[in-house]
């Protein structure tokens, strides 16, 4: 009776019982094997690539099984909340090809029968369960001040004992309801703690879908359930929300693994059926030979916005993350070059158990493949969308020259081995700038990149002759090359590598140097797609003009 009195004093407005909510949120009717998963970010405004990684695993497993993937906003730490973060999360996930079946759809809007999907709007639900725990003697108010708690920590450090609020150290645990009531009535501040029933001598056997079989001692910490601001801690909210929302699989970062004993106890004391758990590895970075967590402060690539800014297509990032999730993705992709990645079946048990290494070079390789398979029109559309936001000059140039730009993006695309020029859109300018006079003529002599075997003077000598003699109407690459070769031989260049090696002094160089001269005159670069194609796209007049101006450098 006195526990009930205490509960009523703590929660005077709570009239419902847990039963009300358990009945309100009916068990989901799902087909066999369907998984209900969720993405549960805090609205801090920072989208970490690890969030996309976690969301992707959740989304794939729900979608593959014909289940439900929902968005729950974990905003119980209201100090960290940032305006616009919920909308940004929804938009970001959408850009990465992930849409939610249920949950928040905007700052104040949601869809689905298991809401509210925002924790700050669920206080009454948490309080209902908390009140019930108080009545059952499984939760109690704790009046310890911050000073008392830090004194406790010091004492435990000195005694070299496990830190925390538990057992003999839990001062408020054994207050009688009357004593607690007297403190509340005297205006003392308090929080609500779990009265743990666990014993660290007893071990819990557990099966994690990624980590496999694990075991750990039972929880005995009287963790905080409801904080001073009336909102729950992550632990308490997790147990109640995932139970009432019918989550079948809690797939979350491995940083939560150490809290699992608490969650196991909470599910038990609340009388809930426990979901399955999968703890996904943290994304790590190789930093001078040692592995560390990808850091929001130190690593630009930790922020999702980075990928957009430098211009990795979202699908490249997703394919890269799938590759981390299941290393068999790479082989699958090779065997199925044209299939949509959604066709790839993700398996939790094939996931690496320990820290996943983030490798930007690998991401770029994957992205080059992805872009090389896009049609020129698609490359164009993607590029101008990116450039509009991040490179105004290129946006203007490319859109003003749409036809040529599409031809440029189509170079060597149609064949069986399409060129793999770009990994991200910010690399495009440097690789195609020479098609545009506005950029090409801005270059100074020191920016010209000559092949190792060629000097600027030698290249000019070639161009001086070539520009008057070459066949501007060659109708194929072969015809163009034969013409170039003939001019080169006349100029004293050698057409045969063996012969050249045997008598290098007899020649000015190889025919490849003649080609290199033409390439450099037209592009200022030693490495470009096929010169004949470049000349065809530039057109006769521009080619002539470039040769003339090259001689003036
Ligand atoms: N809000 C928690 C986080 O962002 C969610 C963890 C979970 O998925 O349960 O880490």
């Amino acid at each position: 009776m006195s526990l009930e009195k205490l509960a009523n004093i703590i929660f005077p407005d709570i009239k419902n019982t847990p039963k009300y909510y358990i009945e309100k949120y009916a068990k989901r009717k799902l087909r066999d094997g369907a998984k209900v998963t969720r993405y549960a970010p805090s609205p801090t405004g920072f989208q970490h690539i690890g969030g996309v990684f976690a969301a992707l695993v959740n989304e794939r497993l729900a979608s593959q099984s014909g289940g439900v993937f929902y968005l729950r906003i974990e905003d119980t730490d209201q100090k960290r909340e940032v305006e616009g973060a919920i909308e940004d999360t929804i938009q970001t996930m959408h850009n990465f090809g992930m849409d939610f079946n249920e949950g928040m759809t905007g700052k104040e809007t949601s869809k689905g029968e298991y809401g509210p999907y925002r924790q700050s709007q669920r206080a009454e639900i948490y309080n209902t369960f908390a009140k019930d725990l108080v009545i059952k003697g499984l939760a109690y108010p704790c009046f310890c001040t911050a000073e008392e708690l830090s004194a406790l920590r010091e004492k435990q450090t000195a005694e070299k004992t496990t830190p925390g609020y538990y057992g003999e150290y839990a001062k408020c645990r054994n207050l009688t309801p009357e004593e607690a009531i007297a403190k509340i009535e005297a205006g003392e501040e308090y929080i609500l703690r779990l009265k743990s029933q666990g014993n660290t001598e007893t071990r819990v056997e557990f099966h994690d879908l990624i980590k496999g079989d694990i075991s750990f001692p039972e929880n005995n910490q009287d963790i905080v359930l409801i904080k001073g601001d009336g909102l729950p801690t992550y632990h308490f909210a997790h147990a109640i929300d995932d139970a009432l929302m019918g989550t079948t699989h809690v797939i979350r970062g491995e940083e939560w693994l150490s809290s699992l004993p608490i969650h196991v106890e909470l599910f038990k004391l609340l009388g809930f059926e426990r979901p399955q758990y999968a703890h996904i590895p943290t994304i790590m970075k190789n930093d001078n030979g040692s592995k560390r967590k990808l850091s929001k402060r130190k690593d630009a690539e930790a922020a999702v916005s980075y990928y957009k800014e430098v211009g990795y297509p979202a699908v490249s990032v997703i394919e890269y993350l799938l590759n981390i999730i299941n290393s068999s993705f790479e082989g699958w992709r090779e065997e199925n070059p044209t299939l949509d990645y959604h066709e790839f079946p993700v398996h939790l048990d094939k996931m690496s158990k320990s820290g996943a290494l983030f490798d930007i070079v690998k991401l770029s390789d994957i992205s080059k493949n992805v872009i090389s398979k896009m049609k020129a029109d698609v490359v164009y559309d993607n590029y101008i969308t990116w450039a509009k936001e991040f490179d105004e000059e290129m946006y203007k140039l490319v859109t003003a020259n749409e036809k040529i730009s599409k031809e440029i993006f189509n170079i060597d695309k149609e064949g069986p081995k399409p060129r793999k020029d770009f990994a991200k859109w910010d690399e495009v300018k440097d690789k195609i700038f020479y098609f545009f006079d506005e950029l090409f003529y801005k270059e100074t002599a020191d920016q010209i990149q000559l092949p190792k075997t060629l000097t600027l003077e030698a290249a000019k000598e070639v161009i001086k002759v070539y520009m008057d003699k070459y066949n501007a109407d060659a109708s194929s690459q072969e015809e163009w090359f034969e013409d170039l070769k003939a001019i080169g031989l006349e100029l004293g260049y050698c057409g045969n590598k063996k012969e050249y090696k045997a008598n290098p002094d007899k020649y000015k160089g190889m025919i490849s140097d003649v080609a290199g001269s033409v390439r450099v005159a037209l592009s200022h670069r030693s490495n470009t797609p096929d010169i004949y194609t470049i000349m065809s796209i530039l057109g006769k007049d521009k080619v002539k003009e470039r040769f003339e101006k090259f001689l003036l450098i």
Side-chain angles (χ1 to χ4, degrees), residues 114-116 118-126 241 244-245:
Y114 294 82
R118 204 177 151 158
Q119 290 182 329
S120 59
Q121 292 170 356
R122 299 173 62 80
E124 173 148 353
I125 304 177
Y126 305 124
D241 292 349
L244 296 184
M245 294 180 182

Side-chain angles (χ1 to χ4, degrees), residues 507-532:
Y507 300 97
K508 287 197 184 144
M510 292 270 304
I511 290 297
S512 56
D513 296 320
V514 180
S517 305
V518 176
R519 173 174 277 127
V520 134
L522 297 177
S523 71
H524 289 176
R525 293 295 177 271
S526 54
N527 196 354
T528 69
D530 161 60
I531 308 168
Y532 171 70

Side-chain angles (χ1 to χ4, degrees), residues 38 40-42 72 74 234 238 242 250-253 255-256:
R38 80 293 192 278
S42 299
R72 181 170 73 223
E74 307 217 319
Y234 169 80
H238 152 54
D242 282 314
V250 170
I251 304 167
R252 60 182 179 188
E255 67 273 19
W256 295 110

